[in-house]
């Protein structure tokens, strides 16, 4: 049950300096307004400060009355940086020490969480002469703050906030206007500034934000030479922003001082006796010196206090330092007090670039040095490049290269780790639609062609919180959803908040380093020499299902895979034979007699052509003489002892508790365990380097998933779940003996093992069993929701495959006879002489079950039988034309003309099927499939049909009609061909250590050609835009249909009080959030989208006078995947239903509130009564219904 209301998710945009701790509360503080030279700090909280003598007015939390009319009040409100509040307070104190009439109140967004805090901020803003705001994005905070900040009459400095606040910026005549319709002279920058901006940066669209930062450095100096008030005011704004953006205590103090000296002290004021006070001209104010720190550079713990301008400069120093250390090595080894040096890997080690936040370097967050030291210890040369946030792509593109790209003059790297998160292009601004450039990111990463990993510490969660409940909220989007759009993999959580600092968990850093080394090592061996383990599945167990997968022909796909990895001609067509061998090797007889398994299988292969109980394909493994297996074919039956498993003490105890050592009896022995306790791994080894094996079972016949769901339902019992020892040794064998693992098809079980819901730790079984080997997962493209688990919990690089062609269901047997009867009846007069036909129609409709769908007809009906028969015929036509996947997909197969025709017919039903003749196929399909020359347009029957039915305006040529109407089918045909070439090519690219490009996962019928071509590292939709606008419209219609159905069948005047809605991951992704829209619409809500790209920031209540019906209560059942993939949506829904429960509305018009009051006997304060979202505990998946049915455990 998800009853607890949590803080709304934040979304970053703009040039974001950092996302910082929100856990420990740093109260607002106020500095200044002194007549004497001794500064004092006044707390803005209700609690007294530790030392009343230092802060005598701390108990008075409201802003104090000004000492004089000349005092100028400044209010600072910062978000995402509560750990920096002490720094800002020191800066404020420093600025006001020499300015007796400057009073600065410092708040953070944590002060906006409570009514008491908002009261203090509101009172401060009401008397403020200027306001400074930064990193404020929460929509509720923005909505509350905007009108109050807008009332501040003096300067308003808004840096890196939501667009609704950015538009409040004002310095003199300069304002920022976000509305494109605003043409006022005061809005926006002067033309000269816009012209100057164009001269900065590369001119590339993706570099606009980085160019803005460059302009921020030099713009103020350039604007000195331009006359006019607006140019002067823009320069002042830029100077103030430059101090703030540069960061550090001195720069922030200089910003406060310049704000006062230039914009506040010089403003006309009245003294205490109402006499005018002389002003100071702004141009006479001296701008303090900026304490500069590079926007981009390299730091390393081995060079403390030093900042390198580029990766090249750092690597030169590194080479010299290593030489120096070698020279000093002998002396150090004999010294009584050897100097302790930060580790440096050897110069021959792989090179990894790590992108970190500049502000974290400035504030000396320990995780930067800790991560570097762990990487270096593991043998990775580490280049930690700091950036402000938006330059990640420029660093990767311009300052780094690879052995594939070979740019001159820049260092070569073997992998890139983004320890910031977010998309590569735009960084935090990439969370906005306008800030993201997926095409540019794909081009940059594709050319570099090295592993790209987004792995970062959690900046919004403590280590304890992560280990207790996994990654949640914004962090799940920063680390997973947004980076996945670029193709990022291996998202290892490196650490999190530890007090007021961000710290690395050393074990997690080692896991990432070792996985990186294994990925990089793939480049050292040609794919034709690599040792690759291929995992197929056998679910459900012991029913002959070995070598099956959803929508994929596994044996034929193995043939293509064998060829792609360079096996000889003799081994390339053994897929079916290998699956036949695995079917037998997976049975208990071959496990129990593991020593004799190879010989037993050889005897079976000899009998395969005569014994019907043995798959005939097994004989293909035999040599010509049939006295042995083919050259290059070996049957592996490997045994090991559970005591040798490399497990931590904690995980071994879990495994032993779940699978006791004494369980040797046949009925209790774990799968894959021989009677003598040996853990057996059977498989087929081809040419001594490609090993194919069936994934170990996670249960038994009759209880196929007992390992996941068989230990009961309590949290304590779930925590004790563990895979059996043979499952662990299977993956340990693959990790130890092979260069890479390929999971073939949808789907296996390793990513579903017990552990963290999101963000594996050392106690997550997925992390334990998968270890360090690169994992490539061939997955159906129409199932991105479950693919997310393979990617996130299973560290998988996905390689999507096309779904099979579609076919129409058609009619058969009684349904076909019924259609013929209806056609005959409806074509006749339908007179009373047709009573026999009518009775036969009714009988067949009843027999086929269609009366349940369309409703029964009797002679007492008001509806004439002919009308009812026409309705039945229409429904039968819908049944006849329903689509289904026909056959199975073969990985890497290029669809032929007929298959392409089937896809086109399914995706473009408006083009009548009779028009798709063989001649038409040549104009649309043949160019994509065979590169043939199309026939003349004048002979194209599709064009003739289009001209007849679409009735184009006179003068439109056949060429134009065809180009317009057939553009979609032609694009689809072209993308289908690319699926065939890209699937195996990108799998091989990954096996060679390269970058597998990303692509949108989904169903081509629903989502269109944007989900093609396949062969991509598939990702799902942006969770911040759920539901999409079209999904919201469909959800409204569905909610209305549910109400109408209730009124038509239950109560013509009433409404359903409660409706159950299922929120499933796959459905939500396919429909872009349709089920979410249904739930919100039923309860009388609507999505609120922000102004920076259509992100859904909350769900609001539609007023009852507008809704004109009661709010319907909703009981939402969440799948485990929906719970994990869309945590932000879960929080918004929880908040929305609580608003429904708390709304001051009549219970008869708000069934949510009605039921809450009934549950709590009228006490609306019972929080549990407001829960409307229900799911399994974190880390748990499935409803266990199938298991209960199998065991007959139900009432």
């Amino acid at each position: 049950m998800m009853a607890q209301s949590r803080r709304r998710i934040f979304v970053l945009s703009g040039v974001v300096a950092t996302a910082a701790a929100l856990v420990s509360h740093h109260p607002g503080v106020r500095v200044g307004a002194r007549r004497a030279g001794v500064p004092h700090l006044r707390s803005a909280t209700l609690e007294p400060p530790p030392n009343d003598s230092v802060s005598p007015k701390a108990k008075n939390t409201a802003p104090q009355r000004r000492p004089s009319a000349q005092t100028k009040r400044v209010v600072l409100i910062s978000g995402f940086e509560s750990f920096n509040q002490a720094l800002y307070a020191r800066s404020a104190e420093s600025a006001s020490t020499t300015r007796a009439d400057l009073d600065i109140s410092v708040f953070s967004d944590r002060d906006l969480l409570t009514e008491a805090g908002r009261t203090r901020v509101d009172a401060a803003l009401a008397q403020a002469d200027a306001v400074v705001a930064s990193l404020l994005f929460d929509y509720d905070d923005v909505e509350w703050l905007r009108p109050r900040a807008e009332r501040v009459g003096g300067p308003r400095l808004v840096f890196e906030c939501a667009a609704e606040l950015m538009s409040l910026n004002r310095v003199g005549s300069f304002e920022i206007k976000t509305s494109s319709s605003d043409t006022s002279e005061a809005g926006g920058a002067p033309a000269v500034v816009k012209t100057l901006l164009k001269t900065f940066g590369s001119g590339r669209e993706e570099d606009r934000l980085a160019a803005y930062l460059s302009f921020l450095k030099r713009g103020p100096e350039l604007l000195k030479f331009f006359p006019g008030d607006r140019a002067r005011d823009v320069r002042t704004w830029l100077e103030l922003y430059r101090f703030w953006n540069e960061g550090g205590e001195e720069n922030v103090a200089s910003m406060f001082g310049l704000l006062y000296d230039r914009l506040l002290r010089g403003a006309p004021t009245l003294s205490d006796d109402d006499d005018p006070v002389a002003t100071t001209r702004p141009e006479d104010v001296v701008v303090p010196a900026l304490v500069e720190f590079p926007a981009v550079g390299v730091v390393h713990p081995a060079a403390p206090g030093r900042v390198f301008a580029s990766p090249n400069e750092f690597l030169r120093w590194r080479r010299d330092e290593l030489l120096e250390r070698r020279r000093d090595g002998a002396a150090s080894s004999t010294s009584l007090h050897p100097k302790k040096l930060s580790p440096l890997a050897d110069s021959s080690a792989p090179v990894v670039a790590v992108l970190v936040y500049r502000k974290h370097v400035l504030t000396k967050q320990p995780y930067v040095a800790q991560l570097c030291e762990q990487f270096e210890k593991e043998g990775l040369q580490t280049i930690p490049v700091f950036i402000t946030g938006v330059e990640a792509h420029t660093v990767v593109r311009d300052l780094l290269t690879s052995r594939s790209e070979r740019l001159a003059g820049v260092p070569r790297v073997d992998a890139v780790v983004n320890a910031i998160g977010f998309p590569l292009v735009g960084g935090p601004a990439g969370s906005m639609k306008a800030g993201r450039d997926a095409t540019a990111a794909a081009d940059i990463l594709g050319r570099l062609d090295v592993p790209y990993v987004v792995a970062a510490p959690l900046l919004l969660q403590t280590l304890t919180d992560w280990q207790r409940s996994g990654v949640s909220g914004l962090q799940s989007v920063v680390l997973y959803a947004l980076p996945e759009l670029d193709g990022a993999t291996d998202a290892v959580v490196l650490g999190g908040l530890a007090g007021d600092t961000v710290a690395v968990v050393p074990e997690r850093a080692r896991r990432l380093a070792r996985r990186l080394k294994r990925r990089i090592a793939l480049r050292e061996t040609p794919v034709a020499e690599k040792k690759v383990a291929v995992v197929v599945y056998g679910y459900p167990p012991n029913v002959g299902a070995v070598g099956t997968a959803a929508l994929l022909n596994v044996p034929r796909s193995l043939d293509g895979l064998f060829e792609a990895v360079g096996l000889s001609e003799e081994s390339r067509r053994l897929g079916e034979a290998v699956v036949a061998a695995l079917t037998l090797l997976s049975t208990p007889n071959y496990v129990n007699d593991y020593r004799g398994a190879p010989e037993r299988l050889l005897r079976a292969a000899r009998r395969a052509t005569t014994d019907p109980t043995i798959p005939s394909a097994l004989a293909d493994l035999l040599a010509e003489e049939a006295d042995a297996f083919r050259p290059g074919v070996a049957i592996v039956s490997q045994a090991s002892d559970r005591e040798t498993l490399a497990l931590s003490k904690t995980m071994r105890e879990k495994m032993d508790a779940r699978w006791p050592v004494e369980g040797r009896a046949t009925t209790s022995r774990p799968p894959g365990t021989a009677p003598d306790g040996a853990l057996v791994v059977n498989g087929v080894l081809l040419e001594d380097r490609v090993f194919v094996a069936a994934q170990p079972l996670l249960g038994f016949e009759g209880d196929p998933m007992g390992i996941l769901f068989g230990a009961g339902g309590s949290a304590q019992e779930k925590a004790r779940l563990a895979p059996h020892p043979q499952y662990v040794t299977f993956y340990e064998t693959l990790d130890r003996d092979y260069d890479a693992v390929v999971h073939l098809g949808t789907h296996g079980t390793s990513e579903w093992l017990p552990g963290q819901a999101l963000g594996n730790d050392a106690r997550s079984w997925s992390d334990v069993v998968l270890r360090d080997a690169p994992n490539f997962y061939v997955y159906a493209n129409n199932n991105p929701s479950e693919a997310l688990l393979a990617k996130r919990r299973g560290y998988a690089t996905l390689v999507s495959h096309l779904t099979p062609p579609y076919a129409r269901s058609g009619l058969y047997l009684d349904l076909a006879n019924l259609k013929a009867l209806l056609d005959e009846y409806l074509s006749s007069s339908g007179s009373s002489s047709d009573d026999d036909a009518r009775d036969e129609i009714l009988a067949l409709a009843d027999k086929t079950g269609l009366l349940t769908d369309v409703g029964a007809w009797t002679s007492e009906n008001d509806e004439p039988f002919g009308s009812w028969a026409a309705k039945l015929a229409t429904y039968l036509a819908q049944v006849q034309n329903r689509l289904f996947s026909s056959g199975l997909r073969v990985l890497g197969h290029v669809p032929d003309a007929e298959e392409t025709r089937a896809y086109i017919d399914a995706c473009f039903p408006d083009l009548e099927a009779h028009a798709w003749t063989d001649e038409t196929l040549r104009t649309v399909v043949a160019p994509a499939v065979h590169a043939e020359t199309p026939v003349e347009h004048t002979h194209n029957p599709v064009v003739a049909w289009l001209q007849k039915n679409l009735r184009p305006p006179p003068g439109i040529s056949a060429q134009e009609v065809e180009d317009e109407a057939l553009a979609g089918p032609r694009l689809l045909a072209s993308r289908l061909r690319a699926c065939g070439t890209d699937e195996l090519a990108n799998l091989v690219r990954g096996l060679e250590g390269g970058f597998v490009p990303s692509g949108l996962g989904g169903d081509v019928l629903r989502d269109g050609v944007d989900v093609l071509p396949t062969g991509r590292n598939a990702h799902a939709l942006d969770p911040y835009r759920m539901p999409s606008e079209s999904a919201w419209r469909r959800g409204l219609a569905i909610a209305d249909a549910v109400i109408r159905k209730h009124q038509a069948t239950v109560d013509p005047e009433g409404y359903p009080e409660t409706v159950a809605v299922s929120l499933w991951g796959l459905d939500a992704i396919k429909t872009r959030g349709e089920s979410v829209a249904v739930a919100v619409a039923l309860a009388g809500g609507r999505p609120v989208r922000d102004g920076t790209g259509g992100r859904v920031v909350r769900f609001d209540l539609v007023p009852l006078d507008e809704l004109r019906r009661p709010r319907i209560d909703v009981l939402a059942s969440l799948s485990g995947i929906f719970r994990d993939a869309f945590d932000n949506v879960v929080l918004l829904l929880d908040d929305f239903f609580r608003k429904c429960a708390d709304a001051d509305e009549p219970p008869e018009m708000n069934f949510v509130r009605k039921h809450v009051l009934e549950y709590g006997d009228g006490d609306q304060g019972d929080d549990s009564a407001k829960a409307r979202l229900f799911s399994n505990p974190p880390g748990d998946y499935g409803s266990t219904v199938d298991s209960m049915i199998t065991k007959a455990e139900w009432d």
Side-chain angles (χ1 to χ4, degrees), residues 45 142 176 250 292 362 396 421-422 501 559 563 591 601 614 670 686 705 729 759 763 786 819 832 839 949 959 1026 1073:
T45 62
V142 169
I176 291 180
E250 290 183 58
E292 295 194 59
L362 278 171
V396 175
F422 299 103
T501 63
D559 292 342
E563 181 176 356
V591 173
L601 191 69
I614 299 174
L686 299 178
M705 299 296 283
T729 201
R763 292 176 292 181
E786 292 184 321
K819 182 180 185 302
S832 58
D839 293 341
N949 290 274
Q959 170 78 54
M1026 178 183 288

Side-chain angles (χ1 to χ4, degrees), residues 200 298 535 686 931 949:
F200 286 81
V298 178
V535 180
L686 299 178
N949 290 274

Side-chain angles (χ1 to χ4, degrees), residues 233-292:
D233 294 335
V234 171
R235 175 165 60 91
T236 297
W237 187 88
L238 287 172
E239 286 170 337
L240 292 165
Y241 185 22
R242 184 170 60 171
F243 282 117
W244 178 263
N245 186 65
E246 195 67 34
E249 185 174 327
E250 290 183 58
N251 285 322
V252 175
S254 294
M255 182 206 70
F256 285 134
L258 182 61
L259 170 63
Y260 174 79
D261 294 340
R262 181 173 287 180
L263 300 177
L264 298 180
R265 188 177 63 179
T269 61
L270 295 177
S271 65
D272 292 333
D273 56 3
D274 293 337
D275 291 331
V277 176
T279 63
T280 301
R281 294 193 310 164
E283 53 267 31
D284 294 336
V285 174
V286 177
V287 179
L290 184 71
V291 180
E292 295 194 59

Side-chain angles (χ1 to χ4, degrees), residues 1133-1193:
L1133 286 172
D1134 182 66
D1135 179 66
F1136 167 68
F1137 286 119
R1138 290 175 185 280
K1139 286 192 288 189
C1140 291
D1142 294 335
D1144 186 12
E1145 296 171 344
E1148 64 273 13
M1149 292 299 292
N1150 183 337
F1151 296 146
V1152 180
R1153 182 167 187 258
K1154 175 184 177 183
H1155 297 154
V1156 168
L1157 294 173
E1158 290 174 350
Y1159 180 89
D1161 295 325
D1163 179 13
Q1164 201 169 358
D1166 189 344
D1167 194 65
S1168 63
K1170 301 173 186 177
R1172 292 297 180 271
L1173 309 177
F1174 297 86
S1175 182
N1176 295 359
D1180 196 7
Y1181 302 89
S1183 62
T1184 75
V1185 171
D1186 53 349
S1187 176
M1188 287 188 289
I1189 291 175
T1190 302
K1191 296 179 180 179
E1193 293 179 353

Side-chain angles (χ1 to χ4, degrees), residues 210-536:
Y212 171 71
L213 286 180
S214 179
F215 173 73
L216 188 61
K217 290 276 190 181
R218 297 183 56 198
E221 283 74 19
L222 294 174
L223 287 172
K224 289 179 181 178
F225 303 102
F226 293 91
D229 292 344
R230 292 191 63 212
R232 179 199 64 203
D233 294 335
V234 171
R235 175 165 60 91
T236 297
W237 187 88
L238 287 172
E239 286 170 337
L240 292 165
Y241 185 22
R242 184 170 60 171
F243 282 117
W244 178 263
N245 186 65
E246 195 67 34
E249 185 174 327
E250 290 183 58
N251 285 322
V252 175
S254 294
M255 182 206 70
F256 285 134
L258 182 61
L259 170 63
Y260 174 79
D261 294 340
R262 181 173 287 180
L263 300 177
L264 298 180
R265 188 177 63 179
T269 61
L270 295 177
S271 65
D272 292 333
D273 56 3
D274 293 337
D275 291 331
V277 176
T279 63
T280 301
R281 294 193 310 164
E283 53 267 31
D284 294 336
V285 174
V286 177
V287 179
L290 184 71
V291 180
E292 295 194 59
F293 192 80
V296 176
V298 178
V299 294
H300 196 284
R306 185 164 180 179
V307 178
F308 302 92
S310 69
N312 245 346
E313 181 184 329
F314 168 71
L315 288 179
R316 286 195 297 270
W317 171 87
R318 183 191 180 96
R319 286 191 293 269
D320 294 341
E321 174 69 11
L322 283 170
L323 289 173
E324 184 72 20
R325 289 188 180 191
R326 291 191 186 104
R327 285 195 294 267
D328 295 343
S332 296
S333 63
T334 59
S335 172
L336 293 177
H337 303 285
K339 182 180 179 182
K340 186 176 180 180
L341 299 173
S342 181
L344 285 176
D346 188 78
S347 56
S348 62
V351 181
V352 176
V354 181
L355 306 179
V356 297
Y357 269 123
R358 172 182 176 271
K359 201 157 192 177
H360 290 175
V361 173
L362 278 171
T363 55
K364 297 180 173 58
Q365 292 299 321
Y367 83 89
V368 177
Q370 293 168 351
L371 180 60
C372 292
E373 290 177 346
Q374 289 295 331
F375 273 25
E376 298 282 359
K377 287 178 182 177
E378 291 296 327
L380 292 174
Q381 296 188 74
T382 308
I383 309 177
V385 185
F386 62 81
I387 59 176
T388 62
V390 300
E391 312 94 338
H393 70 287
T394 65
V395 170
V396 175
R397 184 191 64 205
D398 302 334
L399 301 182
L400 306 172
T401 191
S402 64
R403 66 178 72 182
S404 300
E405 190 180 30
R406 297 181 181 277
L407 291 180
V410 293
R412 191 189 78 185
V413 297
D414 299 293
V416 175
V417 176
N418 186 339
I420 294 174
F422 299 103
L424 180 71
V425 176
S431 61
M432 299 185 300
K433 195 172 183 179
R436 184 184 309 146
D437 193 334
T439 302
D443 179 64
I444 293 168
L445 294 171
R447 283 189 286 107
L448 192 67
D449 197 24
V450 300
Y452 175 62
V453 172
V454 173
L458 302 176
L459 303 178
L460 304 179
Q461 287 181 261
T462 64
L463 294 173
T464 302
D465 182 48
W466 160 49
Q467 291 164 352
R468 181 177 58 245
S469 57
V471 180
S472 62
L474 172 63
Q475 297 284 177
S476 68
V477 179
V478 170
L479 271 180
Y480 294 96
L482 292 176
E484 284 166 356
L485 302 178
D486 296 331
T489 60
D490 285 53
V492 175
V493 176
L494 297 177
L497 291 172
D500 289 334
T501 63
V502 183
V504 160
V505 175
E507 179 274 332
R508 290 291 83 194
R510 289 194 295 272
R511 171 67 79 204
L512 176 60
R514 292 167 183 173
R515 290 195 61 81
L516 281 170
K517 288 180 68 176
R518 293 288 295 273
R519 283 291 296 272
I520 294 168
L522 292 176
R523 285 194 173 267
E524 304 305 320
T525 309
V527 72
E529 299 176 14
K530 280 187 174 63
K531 300 188 72 173
V532 178
V534 182
V535 180
V536 300

